[in-house]
Amino acid sequence: KSLLLQQSVQLQQPTQLKAENMRLRTLLETSTTLYDNFSYAQVLSASPQPQQHIVMLNKGLREGVKVGYPVLDATGVMGQVIEATHRLSQVMLIADNRHALPVRVRRTQQGAILKGTGDTQRLKVEYASENMDIKEGDMLETSGMCLYFPAGYPVAKVTDVQKMTGKAFAQIYAIPLAKLDSSDHVIVLFKYAPPVVEAQITPISPDTRK
């Protein structure tokens, strides 16, 4: 089950992004599809608050989980870590009415902000100008403009676009791709840190010193 979840997350990124150090490799290439910057976790409980969607995971600081890290299930982005203790962590889901995430339209690469509404089946696209090229059925993915979220992970599908003359921004809604109400196993992505390349120093021979 862990391998299937791992493969599903790996396949979420478009092919062109795999070349941009997104830290994933295919299951066919190796028995390990992800590098060390991830952790499997299980959802233990969910908050009873009607519009504030928080879940508890069984992984915490001892596994390297830190505040801000993205959390995904097999179909898309679920949320991000907002609190971590030694053994547990809390995740705010993207449906929470306090959560906002920079996204882009996969088809056009135009950016916007995806905000939670308190409804696990309805997200709002904010700051989308009236002339923005966006339509029903468009896929929204992480833009990479957030500190911890790599670019290219699927987040939501546009379900409703209303453009009104004289309004600066269109009214756009989307449905999350992750199963926010039912996923019980997730992956926490660690912040990507490029490897340190040591400088190669060429020794200076005594004859060339002045």
Side-chain angles (χ1 to χ4, degrees):
K1 188 171 183 179
S2 295
L3 285 174
L4 288 174
L5 174 60
Q6 182 178 334
Q7 185 183 25
S8 297
V9 170
Q10 182 267 327
L11 290 174
Q12 288 176 24
Q13 290 183 302
T15 303
Q16 67 269 22
L17 290 174
K18 294 177 186 176
E20 297 177 4
N21 292 326
M22 290 296 100
R23 311 280 285 165
L24 301 173
R25 65 175 66 171
T26 63
L27 185 62
L28 296 177
E29 291 174 335
T30 177
S31 58
T32 304
T33 61
L34 294 171
Y35 287 89
D36 291 336
N37 61 333
F38 76 98
S39 179
Y40 294 112
Q42 183 176 359
V43 177
L44 299 178
S45 62
S47 169
Q49 297 290 339
Q51 290 189 315
Q52 297 181 359
H53 299 282
I54 306 293
V55 298
M56 183 81 71
L57 303 184
N58 67 337
K59 298 292 177 68
L61 296 173
R62 66 175 180 175
E63 288 85 16
V65 176
K66 296 181 181 179
V67 172
Y69 284 2
V71 177
L72 300 89
D73 71 358
T75 54
V77 173
M78 287 193 66
Q80 65 188 121
V81 178
I82 59 170
E83 185 178 340
T85 63
H86 184 62
R87 295 175 177 270
L88 302 170
S89 56
Q90 290 188 11
V91 175
M92 178 182 289
L93 302 183
I94 58 175
D96 193 292
N97 60 3
R98 299 165 295 175
H99 191 274
L101 178 66
V103 295
R104 65 190 181 195
V105 180
R106 178 170 289 177
R107 178 175 57 87
T108 65
Q109 300 295 291
Q110 291 179 290
I113 301 295
L114 190 64
K115 193 172 186 308
T117 65
D119 184 344
T120 57
Q121 298 301 309
R122 188 173 173 87
L123 306 172
K124 187 175 183 180
V125 180
E126 296 193 334
Y127 306 110
S129 62
E130 186 182 354
N131 59 0
M132 182 177 180
D133 184 5
I134 187 171
K135 58 185 180 181
E136 291 182 20
D138 272 338
M139 300 294 292
L140 302 177
E141 63 185 15
T142 51
S143 66
M145 300 302 290
C146 185
L147 178 62
Y148 292 105
F149 281 85
Y153 281 102
V155 185
K157 181 179 180 180
V158 176
T159 57
D160 185 25
V161 178
Q162 297 180 21
K163 296 184 178 181
M164 295 169 285
T165 304
K167 298 289 185 179
F169 301 106
Q171 281 222 333
I172 304 171
Y173 292 93
I175 185 171
L177 296 176
K179 295 176 172 55
L180 304 181
D181 293 322
S182 58
S183 287
D184 55 1
H185 288 84
V186 298
I187 278 180
V188 181
L189 289 182
F190 289 9
K191 182 180 179 182
Y192 170 67
V196 177
V197 179
E198 295 184 0
Q200 295 185 355
I201 302 175
T202 303
I204 302 176
S205 64
D207 296 336
T208 60
R209 290 183 184 147
K210 292 184 180 180

